[in-house]
């Protein structure tokens, strides 16, 4: 097979797909930095859950400030007990408020309108189906991005979009690469946080060991860690997040060039909770 870097450089329209994974999506920061260092730039971006914020910053042309973006977000207090009594709160978590402040500083609606095509994967709550929405043409881009992150208890009131309620896109499709092909891309870079040693890609609860089908396997370049990331789901300390961004940069180099680099064997101890669930389901034959 032609090396990944050559395939991407020969492509006419490359789509960047940012899968979800909460704080582990900081891995994507280093991946984006390496892709741009090799001259690989997206024609459009698609984000899922927390990956949507990275996708928005890249589509808005602000990829160089992804690290400051994450540092700014992680340094703001995430809990405010007064939010328990707010009309749109009812939770001590203030993630919506944090995202609003970070969005206004590092993305902005104007940059989105003038930037690259930007899409997000959401789960329509009325029927639990996956929906891909166009952020660039939405009446309120921020509300669409926020809806893509709706995951209790961190959020309690999902935004209403065109009469529908939506939740985290990772519930229904955490790797919607087909959506980018449907919109004209001939190559996709899929950035995921699930380690290779953990098995296939997590797509949804019914497809947690997803394998890219042979029909498009040579058109999807998947960049993910070698092993399970040693990072809690909602880690917010920059000193813990920064090494994962650095790991993303190294892993991108390995995948693109075929090199083997030191420092990419970083791994958490033990297995993830989802791995135990998968084992039980296999034992039950489900």
């Amino acid at each position: 097979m032609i090396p990944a870097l050559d395939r991407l450089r020969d492509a006419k329209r490359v789509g960047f797909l940012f899968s979800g994974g909460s704080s582990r999506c900081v891995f994507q920061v280093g991946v984006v930095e390496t892709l741009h260092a090799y001259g690989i730039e997206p024609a459009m971006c698609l984000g899922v859950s927390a990956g949507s914020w990275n996708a928005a910053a890249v589509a808005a042309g602000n990829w160089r400030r992804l690290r400051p973006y994450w540092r700014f977000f992680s340094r703001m207090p995430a809990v405010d007990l007064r939010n328990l009594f707010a009309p749109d709160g009812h939770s001590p978590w203030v993630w919506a408020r944090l995202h609003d402040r970070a969005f206004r500083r590092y993305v902005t609606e104007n940059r989105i309108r003038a930037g690259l095509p930007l899409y997000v994967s959401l789960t329509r709550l009325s029927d639990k189906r996956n929906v891909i929405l166009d952020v660039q043409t939405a009446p309120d881009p921020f509300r669409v991005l926020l809806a893509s992150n709706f995951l209790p208890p961190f959020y309690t009131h999902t935004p209403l979009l065109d009469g529908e309620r939506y939740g985290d896109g990772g519930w229904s499709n955490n790797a919607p690469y087909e959506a980018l092909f449907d919109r004209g891309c001939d190559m996709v870079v899929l950035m995921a946080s699930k380690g290779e040693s953990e098995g296939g890609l997590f797509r949804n609860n019914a497809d947690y060991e997803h394998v890219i089908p042979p029909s498009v396997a040579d058109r999807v370049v998947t960049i993910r860690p070698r092993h399970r990331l040693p990072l809690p789901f909602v880690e917010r300390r920059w000193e813990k997040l920064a090494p994962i961004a650095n790991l993303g940069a190294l892993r991108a180099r390995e995948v693109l060039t075929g090199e083997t680099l030191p420092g990419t064997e970083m791994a958490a101890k033990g297995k993830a909770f989802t791995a135990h669930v998968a084992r039980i389901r296999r034992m039950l034959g489900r």
Side-chain angles (χ1 to χ4, degrees):
M1 182 181 288
I2 300 173
L5 184 57
D6 292 338
R7 282 182 282 140
L8 290 171
R9 283 176 169 167
D10 289 341
K12 293 181 174 61
R13 290 172 61 83
V14 178
F16 281 11
L17 173 51
F18 300 80
S19 292
S22 192
S23 296
R24 295 164 189 165
C25 289
V26 73
F27 176 84
Q28 298 165 356
V29 173
V31 175
V32 167
E33 292 170 346
T34 295
L35 287 166
H36 278 84
Y38 282 115
I40 306 302
E41 299 184 4
M44 63 185 67
C45 296
L46 196 165
V48 186
S49 192
S52 296
W53 304 108
N54 288 334
V58 172
N62 227 3
W63 68 268
R64 291 180 179 84
R65 300 185 70 198
L66 275 173
R67 288 183 188 245
Y69 186 172
W70 275 78
R71 283 200 299 270
F72 177 78
F73 183 85
S74 64
R75 287 172 178 170
M76 290 186 286
V79 174
D80 184 344
L81 295 180
R82 293 173 298 179
N83 199 53
L84 285 167
F85 310 100
D88 59 348
H90 303 141
S91 166
W93 300 94
V94 290
W95 291 98
R97 190 186 310 169
L98 305 188
H99 282 303
D100 179 55
R101 292 184 62 187
F103 176 86
R104 286 188 281 111
R105 176 175 288 203
Y106 292 98
V107 182
T108 76
E109 181 175 334
N110 288 339
R111 281 179 172 270
I112 283 184
R113 302 286 189 208
L116 298 173
L118 172 63
Y119 304 92
V120 294
S121 170
L122 302 105
T123 302
R124 189 166 52 208
L125 298 183
S126 61
D127 58 7
K128 305 301 187 293
R129 294 181 65 86
N130 184 253
V131 176
I132 305 296
L133 291 188
D134 186 337
V135 180
Q136 199 173 45
T137 62
D140 188 340
F142 176 74
R143 287 173 63 83
V144 178
L145 292 166
L146 193 62
S148 74
N149 283 251
F150 178 75
L151 186 67
F154 308 108
Y155 306 91
T156 54
H157 299 278
T158 182
L160 185 66
L161 306 174
D162 292 329
E164 288 280 357
R165 300 280 183 185
Y166 295 91
D168 194 301
W171 290 340
S172 53
N173 196 341
N174 198 39
Y177 48 86
E178 301 97 333
L180 289 169
F181 291 136
D182 291 343
R183 287 161 177 78
C185 292
D186 51 352
M187 287 289 296
V188 170
V189 178
L190 195 170
M191 294 168 250
S193 58
K194 182 181 177 182
E196 291 179 341
S197 65
E198 297 182 89
L201 295 167
F202 175 82
R203 196 165 206 193
N204 54 51
N205 287 331
D207 187 4
Y208 47 84
E209 295 284 358
H210 183 73
V211 176
I212 308 294
S215 58
V216 294
D218 62 341
R219 299 170 59 198
V220 179
V221 175
T222 302
I223 303 176
R224 56 179 179 146
R226 289 187 179 278
H227 308 290
R228 184 164 73 91
L229 291 174
L231 199 68
F233 191 65
V234 291
E235 178 62 68
R236 301 186 68 254
R237 292 169 293 177
W238 179 246
E239 64 269 22
K240 300 291 185 180
L241 296 169
I244 305 303
N246 297 337
L247 175 64
L250 291 175
R251 280 296 293 146
R253 281 181 56 191
E254 287 190 330
V255 173
L256 295 176
T257 68
E259 300 175 78
T260 299
L261 301 173
T264 59
E265 292 294 332
M266 185 185 300
K269 296 180 180 179
K271 292 185 178 182
F273 172 75
T274 51
H276 294 294
V277 173
R279 178 173 174 271
I280 292 172
R281 292 183 67 169
R282 283 194 295 268
M283 290 173 60
L284 295 174
R286 299 173 62 183

